[in-house]
Amino acid sequence: MGWNPMPVRAACWALLGTLFAGAAVAAGPATTAPAADSFPMATGVRLGGDETQTRFVMDLDRRIDLRVFTLADPYRVVLDIPEVTFQLLPQAGESGRGLIKAFRFGLVMPGGSRMVFDLTKPVRVDKAFVVDPADDAPARLVLDLVATDRDSFMRQVALDQKAASTAPPPSQPQGQSSDPRPLIVLDPGHGGLDTGAKASSGELEKDIVLDVAKRLRARLEKSGKYRVLMTRTDDTFVALADRVEIARKAGAALFVSIHADSLPHKEGDAQGATVYTLSETASDPQAAQLAEEENRADVIAGVDLTNEPDDVAGILLDLAQRETKTYSMQFAHKLVAELKGAARLHKDPIKSAGFRVLRAPDVPSVLVELGYVSNKQDLQSLLSDTWRDHTAEAMGQAIDDYFSARIAGANSSAN
Ligand SMILES: [Zn+2]
């Protein structure tokens, strides 16, 4: 493939500060956000080249700014751009060419989109720029990659991290409230460019679980007994550590992460809802595999994990977690008892594994897999309005049971 010189304008690299100064939590409708159709629109993508040099081109209806950085293990190139409406084929990015194995795109925060390129080997970003629209040509985003060695790639990763660390830290999510009602944090899994499990008919886990979470929020708010916060309220990616931090900083009394599972065809069929709590050793190999799969969310969305402290190390934390673990288990049992009346349960409905999203040492946390999008009957349920309402009601009832038991327990121990 030829590398014809194109009219180039240097990309603006100053965008990072403004783009990433926003809050990590998507709370409520943004009143200043422009209508969806006023966002720049991406209308097509092309890949060219081979294993030594690869070019990615994306057509846009106008010029945008971009920032590019690299991540290692696995090798990735990440493009941060302003919020873009991606009018691309649903399968765009599922396969690649040359140095690009596959790529993903979507919202990572209100106002910010991201593209993550999985690489077949280490690369050097030769060029990354946007060509202005001409008379009969759209604007084009161009990313040129050239094969390099691991050492060179790792040096670039280090430089990219240094550049990123000078950006202002994200602002804090909302703080403690004077409202004495317990705060429930609902955590719809995935979002944005991380779609989660995908049904063969195209439905996405991220959409299903967001809808169920919203129904549960409505159920809880209607009772008047709780404050409710969601880690995301729209199709935005939220990093796993941020989900935990949102719950901790807001002083959550309970954290409920909502997912829907999928089993690869070759591994047979599985069905029903499962409730997971945290453990360092998984209850069975399937639970371990699922946790690994769910923990990949950050890798999928191009989150840099190198600076994240390992906040689960140490025996002190283990002691602090003991009470939390007991409460998490109590809630898991109540949830399974209530779900029994609304949803099909997995044959082994309470399990545990090392889910990153359950690692708040001070917030009782469970992760519920509502069912398998890979199972025909489960999928039918997951897509049914009635089933979602019943399931949200059952989860709400379990939360009621859990808190009335805790209040009763507190009263009897005070006597
Ligand atoms: Zn999931």
Side-chain angles (χ1 to χ4, degrees):
M1 174 198 150
W3 292 76
N4 300 328
M6 307 177 84
V8 174
R9 182 184 283 180
C12 169
W13 301 81
L15 177 72
L16 171 72
T18 48
L19 189 59
F20 282 79
V25 54
T31 47
T32 54
D37 59 3
S38 71
F39 291 120
M41 201 179 303
T43 50
V45 289
R46 293 179 294 288
L47 282 169
D50 53 31
E51 291 268 320
T52 56
Q53 50 185 38
T54 303
R55 168 168 287 185
F56 168 83
V57 178
M58 181 165 75
D59 294 331
L60 293 157
D61 69 343
R62 74 192 83 154
R63 188 188 159 68
I64 57 169
D65 292 321
L66 59 82
R67 182 181 83 102
V68 62
F69 62 95
T70 48
L71 292 171
D73 306 321
Y75 298 122
R76 284 157 293 162
V77 167
V78 180
L79 274 180
D80 277 333
I81 53 183
E83 182 162 350
V84 161
T85 305
F86 291 95
Q87 291 212 321
L88 305 177
L89 296 172
Q91 66 270 32
E94 283 180 8
S95 60
R97 172 172 179 158
L99 297 164
I100 294 175
K101 197 192 294 176
F103 62 91
R104 297 170 293 281
F105 45 87
L107 210 57
V108 279
M109 69 186 68
S113 293
R114 173 173 286 185
M115 306 192 76
V116 181
F117 298 85
D118 295 327
L119 308 171
T120 54
K121 57 174 81 162
V123 304
R124 178 169 58 79
V125 177
D126 189 43
K127 297 187 194 74
F129 57 89
V130 177
V131 187
D132 280 332
D135 292 339
D136 49 358
R140 273 160 298 155
L141 182 156
V142 179
L143 176 68
D144 281 345
L145 306 177
V146 178
T148 187
D149 56 273
R150 179 174 169 86
D151 287 347
S152 307
F153 185 87
M154 296 310 285
R155 272 196 296 277
Q156 190 56 50
V157 170
L159 288 173
D160 289 348
Q161 270 163 16
K162 197 158 170 255
S165 64
T166 58
S171 59
Q172 304 290 345
Q174 74 184 64
Q176 308 282 347
S177 159
S178 57
D179 188 332
R181 295 175 300 167
L183 175 71
I184 317 292
V185 171
L186 302 179
D187 176 51
H190 314 278
L193 73 180
D194 170 24
T195 59
K198 194 174 180 177
S200 57
S201 44
E203 290 84 5
L204 302 174
E205 175 185 356
K206 66 173 183 177
D207 299 325
I208 296 170
V209 299
L210 178 61
D211 183 67
V212 172
K214 284 180 174 173
R215 288 171 200 245
L216 176 53
R217 177 181 63 180
R219 154 69 173 78
L220 294 172
E221 282 179 344
K222 207 171 129 201
S223 78
K225 293 189 225 171
Y226 314 100
R227 290 175 293 137
V228 184
L229 182 67
M230 288 173 62
T231 54
R232 68 177 179 100
T233 50
D234 57 15
D235 186 20
T236 306
F237 174 79
V238 183
L240 296 173
D242 290 343
R243 296 170 190 259
V244 176
E245 275 312 285
I246 288 166
R248 296 192 67 196
K249 292 226 168 81
L254 185 65
F255 178 88
V256 184
S257 191
I258 305 173
H259 290 255
D261 209 347
S262 167
L263 201 64
H265 229 20
K266 58 179 183 334
E267 287 172 37
D269 202 6
Q271 60 183 47
T274 311
V275 178
Y276 290 86
T277 57
L278 176 70
S279 68
E280 292 308 312
T281 333
S283 53
D284 60 60
Q286 288 78 27
Q289 196 188 328
L290 176 75
E292 206 174 289
E293 198 57 41
E294 297 289 9
N295 290 346
R296 276 192 71 240
D298 286 347
V299 168
I300 288 169
V303 174
D304 180 10
L305 298 172
T306 47
N307 296 323
E308 205 177 280
D310 184 8
D311 60 358
V312 289
I315 191 158
L316 284 174
L317 194 54
D318 187 54
L319 288 170
Q321 280 184 327
R322 203 162 289 169
E323 191 182 37
T324 305
K325 274 182 187 166
T326 308
Y327 284 128
S328 302
M329 274 312 286
Q330 280 177 11
F331 178 63
H333 282 282
K334 296 204 186 301
L335 190 50
V336 161
E338 291 296 338
L339 278 175
K340 210 175 282 176
R344 276 203 300 178
L345 293 181
H346 189 270
K347 59 179 163 40
D348 198 5
I350 295 187
K351 296 189 181 193
S352 61
F355 293 92
R356 295 179 66 92
V357 82
L358 299 182
R359 290 186 165 185
D362 42 7
V363 183
S365 303
V366 306
L367 181 146
V368 52
E369 297 277 353
L370 295 170
Y372 288 81
V373 300
S374 50
N375 177 272
K376 216 174 146 191
Q377 206 183 328
D378 274 11
L379 181 63
Q380 213 170 24
S381 299
L382 288 163
L383 298 179
S384 146
D385 268 335
T386 318
W387 185 90
R388 288 181 187 183
D389 278 338
H390 287 163
T391 300
E393 172 56 34
M395 293 173 79
Q397 189 57 51
I399 290 171
D400 286 346
D401 297 348
Y402 170 76
F403 280 102
S404 44
R406 278 199 70 167
I407 291 162
N411 288 345
S412 64
S413 63
N415 290 339

